[in-house]
Amino acid sequence: MKKNSIKNTRINQEVQKELSVLIDQELKDPRIHPMTSVVAAEVAPDLKTARIYISVLGDDQAKKNTLQGLKSAAPFLRGQLARTVNLRNTPQLLFVLDESIEHGVAMSRLIDEVASGIPDRSEEDDSSGE
């Protein structure tokens, strides 16, 4: 994996911040779920393309609809991004669903289930000492 330069990292952060605001405040598409967040943005070093990772809190249909809505709104978002972020080229936006948050919650839930099934060591030590 190639390490990003400081400039590229700053561009990624700025694009992520601006797209978060635009998606939250500017888009009125009913397909886009209200609980949609921009998790990360990876702008190519040549500034031609950007992969935007989004997270949607909802069922599979809400995720599918949100991706369709964002794909259709990509030209509008690109134009707004060109106005707010001063870049030599405004990248084409490719939206990717990021399910790492949901995966982490599911893993945490499984760990909690396993941990609740194991008796606490301190309770065993207290009862055997009496």
Side-chain angles (χ1 to χ4, degrees):
M1 184 171 161
K2 185 179 174 190
K3 184 177 178 182
N4 284 341
S5 67
I6 293 172
K7 178 183 175 186
N8 200 317
T9 302
R10 288 199 337 238
I11 290 171
N12 290 344
Q13 290 172 347
E14 189 66 23
V15 167
Q16 177 184 354
K17 184 179 81 170
E18 289 299 324
L19 282 176
S20 293
V21 171
L22 288 171
I23 289 171
D24 187 43
Q25 297 176 359
E26 298 292 325
L27 293 183
K28 305 297 183 212
D29 192 332
R31 294 178 290 182
I32 298 174
H33 196 274
M35 294 298 289
T36 300
S37 60
V38 178
V39 178
E42 288 181 1
V43 179
D46 62 356
L47 303 176
K48 298 288 185 192
T49 60
R51 295 175 74 90
I52 310 302
Y53 295 93
I54 61 162
S55 177
V56 180
L57 187 63
D59 59 356
D60 290 337
Q61 187 62 36
K63 293 175 187 177
K64 182 180 172 187
N65 290 342
T66 299
L67 278 176
Q68 288 175 348
L70 288 172
K71 185 176 180 181
S72 68
F76 170 76
L77 291 171
R78 185 178 184 205
Q80 294 298 315
L81 196 62
R83 287 184 185 86
T84 57
V85 179
N86 187 17
L87 294 174
R88 181 175 57 242
N89 297 324
T90 303
Q92 287 193 342
L93 305 175
L94 172 66
F95 292 97
V96 179
L97 187 62
D98 182 24
E99 297 182 343
S100 62
I101 294 173
E102 291 178 5
H103 184 69
V105 169
M107 285 292 145
S108 179
R109 188 178 304 127
L110 289 173
I111 290 170
D112 290 344
E113 287 176 10
V114 170
S116 66
I118 299 174
D120 190 13
R121 286 291 220 187
S122 62
E123 291 175 7
E124 288 179 8
D125 292 342
D126 291 342
S127 61
S128 62
E130 291 177 13

